[in-house]
Amino acid sequence: MKRFWMFLLVLAMLCGTAVVLNAAPGQSVFATAQAAEIAINKTDVTVNRGETFRVKLTGTRQAVTWKTTDKTVAAVDANGVVTAKQAGKAVVYTRLDGVKYRCVVRVEAPKLNKKALTLAVGQTYTLTLDGTTRRVKWSSSDPAVAKVTGTGAVVAKAKGKAVITATVGKSSYSCAVKVEAPKLNKTELTLTVGGSAALKLRGTTRTVTWRSTNTAVATVADGTVTAVGTGTAKIVAKVGGQKFICTVTVREKTIRSKLIDAAYYDTGDGIVAVLTNNNDRAAAVTVTVRYYDERGALIDTDQSTVDPLGTGRTAAVRVFGAYDEYNWTPLHYASWKAFLTAAPSKVTNDALLDGEITTEAAAGDDELAVTVRNAGDKDCGFLQLAVLYFDESGALVGYENGFAYKATAGAADTVTFAYPNDVPPTEEHPLTWQVFVNYAY
């Protein structure tokens, strides 16, 4: 009998099978060799929350009871089906014939840093799948719209929509990507001081922030650009980290001659022009008159300028008639033509005090006395008045101008003007007059 057992031992060693010699009484040596081959199918598993897998013993058909060290992390049922509950670590195990079989379960809870993303064409944004230590596979549903690299960097290629998917283990996590193609309606803009224009960033539904690189030149609010001073500024529209720029050039306000209303009166020895400025800034207005004889030949040219003529203000200037430049004697003219030119004044509307000046005229025996009052709180250094005289038929018969030299704030001054031909108004020769503040600043 001993020879039989030795034969089996030698045979087992030659076949690479371990045999336990101290088998329990009544237990077959063959059963002991079979127990040594029992194993658990998984010993270390990393899964995502919500995923399931099964553990089982191989090499036996005996029923076992499965347990877990932390059912809040990994729960296991009677069939060995493990359900990952939450991030953490647990051990699923069972015992058979005094031997413990265990599987380490590591539960991860991956989460994308963005579930929805809006980009502009050309922009890049890196998605990350946090909460996992495993390799992540990235893919795009439409690489022509949004391409994704192996590290999760999303590159916006064209306007449209795409879904970026991160896959780890059995689970996938998606981010909906919308690609916009924003575009400013203007990339260059020229304005005059005080002017404004509306910029729009089209092609986006996101909130746009606006700023100016030089608020002394141009300001911006909700896309409306207002020109403040001459120079250059950049208006920056920013959306989703991307910048769109419009270069704004601000120039002085232009003066349009056709916005100067003019009424002309021929006094016989020259032309009087009554001018009203309808431009939105003060102007320097020059009236040029050409005088012709009976044959239409040009015999003289003269001009007169009022500067500044404020916005909405009216002034009266005289252009002397034709003169012999050698003898300084008047020349008879048969016809004339007036031409008006205008340019921006160096004096701005803000500096003008015309609206603070009041006048009151009183007829004297020898002169017309005009009292000038400065009702403002600023001193006036330059103040010119003009007086037009009309006869009883309404015809212009005289023009005079003069200056007030005492026009400090709150003060009054009197300026006198001669009557036409030095003849005071009488019942036989009635006169009316109109006083103009040509400028005050």
Side-chain angles (χ1 to χ4, degrees):
M1 193 67 177
K2 284 185 178 179
R3 291 180 180 179
F4 175 74
W5 288 114
M6 288 299 294
F7 172 76
L8 288 179
L9 177 61
V10 172
L11 180 63
M13 292 177 66
L14 290 174
C15 296
T17 303
V19 178
V20 181
L21 295 179
N22 57 341
Q27 182 181 20
S28 169
V29 173
F30 293 104
T32 304
Q34 184 182 24
E37 295 178 355
I38 297 174
I40 191 168
N41 66 327
K42 297 180 185 293
T43 59
D44 197 320
V45 178
T46 300
V47 290
N48 298 320
R49 181 177 57 190
E51 292 181 352
T52 62
F53 68 95
R54 187 182 179 193
V55 289
K56 61 181 180 179
L57 292 183
T58 60
T60 182
R61 293 183 179 180
Q62 287 184 256
V64 295
T65 300
W66 292 99
K67 296 181 180 180
T68 176
T69 59
D70 192 342
K71 64 181 179 181
T72 65
V73 173
V76 62
D77 66 10
N79 296 317
V81 176
V82 180
T83 302
K85 293 292 190 177
Q86 66 177 17
K89 180 179 176 182
V91 177
V92 173
Y93 64 94
T94 189
R95 293 180 184 274
L96 181 62
D97 295 333
V99 179
K100 186 176 182 180
Y101 301 89
R102 60 198 298 271
C103 174
V104 177
V105 181
R106 307 172 200 275
V107 179
E108 296 181 336
K111 184 179 180 181
L112 268 177
N113 59 331
K114 291 279 188 180
K115 290 185 178 180
L117 182 63
T118 301
L119 298 174
V121 173
Q123 273 191 296
T124 298
Y125 185 89
T126 299
L127 292 174
T128 58
L129 188 63
D130 303 320
T132 182
T133 57
R134 290 170 292 169
R135 181 178 177 274
V136 180
K137 180 181 178 182
W138 296 92
S139 61
S140 171
S141 65
D142 192 344
V145 172
K147 177 183 176 182
V148 65
T149 68
T151 57
V154 181
V155 181
K157 306 293 285 184
K159 183 178 179 180
K161 294 181 179 180
V163 176
I164 302 300
T165 302
T167 302
V168 61
K170 298 178 182 178
S171 301
S172 295
Y173 306 85
S174 298
C175 175
V177 178
K178 179 181 179 182
V179 178
E180 298 178 334
K183 185 178 181 181
L184 267 178
N185 60 329
K186 293 179 183 294
T187 56
E188 292 183 350
L189 187 61
T190 300
L191 296 172
T192 57
V193 175
S196 63
L199 290 179
K200 295 181 180 179
L201 188 63
R202 298 190 174 114
T204 182
T205 57
R206 292 174 288 173
T207 300
V208 182
T209 58
W210 299 88
R211 71 178 181 89
S212 170
T213 61
N214 191 345
T215 54
V217 172
T219 60
V220 61
D222 294 328
T224 298
V225 181
T226 301
V228 178
T230 57
T232 302
K234 292 184 183 300
I235 302 301
V236 181
K238 188 176 180 181
V239 59
Q242 192 172 33
K243 297 177 181 178
F244 303 85
I245 296 174
C246 175
T247 301
V248 178
T249 302
V250 179
R251 298 172 180 169
E252 286 286 358
K253 291 181 180 178
T254 57
I255 295 296
R256 299 169 64 188
S257 297
K258 67 179 183 179
L259 293 180
I260 306 292
D261 293 335
Y264 298 104
Y265 300 89
D266 186 353
T267 63
D269 61 350
I271 304 299
V272 171
V274 178
L275 309 169
T276 300
N277 180 15
N278 297 307
N279 287 279
D280 57 3
R281 69 162 297 173
V285 184
T286 298
V287 178
T288 301
V289 180
R290 295 174 182 174
Y291 297 97
Y292 304 89
D293 62 15
E294 288 80 357
R295 296 174 300 171
L298 178 67
I299 57 176
D300 197 11
T301 300
D302 203 357
Q303 62 183 201
S304 183
T305 299
V306 56
D307 181 16
L309 181 58
T311 298
R313 306 302 298 179
T314 300
V317 297
R318 177 173 59 187
V319 181
F320 288 104
Y323 274 80
D324 184 330
E325 62 181 3
Y326 298 105
N327 300 318
W328 196 240
T329 55
L331 297 174
H332 173 71
Y333 57 88
S335 61
W336 54 272
K337 290 183 180 179
F339 304 89
L340 187 149
T341 58
S345 175
K346 293 182 179 180
V347 181
T348 64
N349 279 327
D350 293 340
L352 295 177
L353 302 175
D354 305 35
E356 307 294 338
I357 304 300
T358 63
T359 61
E360 184 178 353
D365 292 338
D366 301 315
E367 296 174 315
L368 180 70
V370 178
T371 300
V372 182
R373 297 183 185 278
N374 181 355
D377 56 4
K378 295 181 181 178
D379 293 342
C380 183
F382 302 92
L383 195 158
Q384 185 188 61
L385 301 175
V387 177
L388 271 61
Y389 293 103
F390 301 90
D391 63 16
E392 58 184 337
S393 68
L396 180 67
V397 294
Y399 170 93
E400 296 290 335
N401 64 22
F403 295 89
Y405 298 99
K406 299 177 182 179
T408 55
D413 193 12
T414 299
V415 184
T416 58
F417 297 91
Y419 293 119
N421 301 316
D422 294 326
V423 177
T426 62
E427 291 185 5
E428 293 79 12
H429 300 91
L431 282 176
T432 57
W433 48 80
Q434 185 174 1
V435 179
F436 296 88
V437 179
N438 280 356
Y439 53 75
Y441 63 96

